Structures are given as structure tokens and as C-alpha cells.
């Protein structure tokens, strides 16, 4: 039974995704779709001005991961492959596994999603530490648009 993942991702969910993508890039340069981490490591890196990490933080991270597993992206006829245009539909995250004994979190991003990130020339690097400090949705969106 899912609860709460029936909503679109929030600003917080984007911070979780951006953090995980940053870690995947640091460790594999997007040559892999898999990352291993812990909810504690995620929490200590994404919650701004939080000294104590607790179950409520872990639950919120899990909800963000549920939402990214549920979300899909659709591109209609914008990819040109030699002599043909293609449409594409894929998820952001394919699977998440939490080992309750070791507390290790295993995340597998969608192959097509990571391939798009690896091969595209249309991207911007964000300063993650500055990004996570922003609290208002309009500030976040302006930052995404205006960074060079």
C-alpha cells in the first residue's frame, strides 16, 4: 500500500534527486545507473541546518524515493536518430531497496534516463549547497532558470 506518493514531486523531492544524481556522477560519471548509500548520509547532506537526524527525516526521504519511482517522463518526437524521430517514455528511478540490517540503500536509476543525462549537451550544473538553502518554490525555479 502506498501513501503520499500519489502526488507530484515537491521541492524537497527534487533536492533528494539532485543529491543522488550528484553522488552518482561523482562516483561513476554516469557510467552506472546504480548507487549505494544510506538514508543517514542523504539526510545529513540535504537537510539544511539540521543537527539531529531522526525517523521523520528517513520517512520523508523514503517518500521522495517513492515519488521518483512513480514519476515517468515522456518525450514526443523530439529525438532524431539518423533518419527517424523517436518518442520516449521512461521512469526516473527504477527501483529502491533498503536493507534493514545494514541500513544500506540501493537505488537503480532508469537506464534511458541516465543515458539522456550522459549524452545531452543541454544541462546546467547547479551548486547543490546553495540550491538546498532556497526555501521558496519561486526562488528555486528562478535559480534553475538563471544560473549560467
Amino acid at each position: 500500500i502506498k501513501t503520499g506518493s500519489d502526488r507530484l514531486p515537491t521541492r524537497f523531492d527534487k533536492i533528494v534527486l539532485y543529491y543522488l544524481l550528484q553522488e552518482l556522477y561523482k562516483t561513476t560519471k554516469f557510467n552506472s545507473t546504480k548507487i549505494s548509500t544510506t538514508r543517514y548520509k542523504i539526510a545529513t547532506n540535504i537537510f539544511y541546518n539540521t543537527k539531529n537526524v531522526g525517523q521523520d527525516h528517513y520517512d520523508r526521504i523514503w517518500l521522495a524515493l517513492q515519488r521518483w519511482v512513480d514519476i515517468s517522463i515522456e518525450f514526443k518526437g523530439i529525438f532524431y536518430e539518423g533518419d527517424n524521430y523517436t518518442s520516449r517514455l521512461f521512469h526516473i528511478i527504477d527501483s529502491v531497496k533498503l536493507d534493514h540490517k545494514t541500513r544500506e540503500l540501493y537505488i537503480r536509476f532508469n537506464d534511458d534516463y541516465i543515458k539522456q543525462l550522459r549524452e545531452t549537451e543541454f544541462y546546467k550544473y547547479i551548486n547543490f549547497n546553495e540550491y538546498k538553502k532556497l526555501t521558496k518554490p519561486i526562488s528555486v525555479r528562478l535559480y534553475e532558470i538563471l544560473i549560467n
Side-chain angles (χ1 to χ4, degrees):
I1 297 175
K2 291 185 191 178
T3 57
S5 68
D6 56 345
R7 294 179 38 214
L8 291 174
T10 64
R11 180 190 72 80
F12 176 81
D13 300 335
K14 282 174 63 173
I15 290 173
V16 171
L17 179 67
Y18 288 171
Y19 171 75
L20 293 171
L21 289 171
Q22 172 184 271
E23 290 302 300
L24 184 67
Y25 184 77
K26 279 184 191 176
T27 58
T28 73
K29 300 287 189 237
F30 292 142
N31 289 318
S32 174
T33 59
K34 299 174 186 174
I35 187 171
S36 173
T37 188
T38 64
R39 291 176 298 168
Y40 180 79
K41 184 176 179 185
I42 296 170
T44 57
N45 282 283
I46 65 170
F47 287 103
Y48 185 64
N49 285 337
T50 299
K51 295 185 187 327
N52 297 320
V53 175
Q55 188 62 44
D56 56 332
H57 296 98
Y58 296 155
D59 292 344
R60 187 58 190 91
I61 290 167
W62 188 257
L63 180 60
L65 293 169
Q66 283 180 330
R67 287 185 178 151
W68 288 119
V69 167
D70 289 346
I71 291 294
S72 61
I73 297 177
E74 181 178 14
F75 295 98
K76 292 186 177 183
I78 63 171
F79 291 97
Y80 186 70
E81 295 180 346
D83 61 350
N84 185 28
Y85 284 95
T86 62
S87 295
R88 300 180 188 191
L89 178 66
F90 49 83
H91 287 277
I92 305 293
I93 294 177
D94 280 341
S95 66
V96 177
K97 180 175 96 173
L98 174 62
D99 184 318
H100 292 279
K101 185 176 180 181
T102 64
R103 298 187 176 167
E104 198 72 17
L105 192 60
Y106 302 96
I107 300 165
R108 185 171 48 87
F109 286 91
N110 180 278
D111 292 332
D112 290 327
Y113 178 63
I114 297 302
K115 181 180 178 190
Q116 288 303 122
L117 293 177
R118 188 175 47 242
E119 294 177 359
T120 188
E121 295 181 19
F122 302 103
Y123 60 86
K124 295 179 182 179
Y125 288 109
I126 64 167
N127 181 325
F128 181 75
N129 290 322
E130 292 300 317
Y131 184 85
K132 71 181 181 180
K133 292 178 188 177
L134 302 172
T135 58
K136 295 182 180 178
I138 190 72
S139 302
V140 170
R141 189 63 189 129
L142 283 171
Y143 179 84
E144 290 170 340
I145 292 169
L146 297 174
I147 61 169
N148 37 343

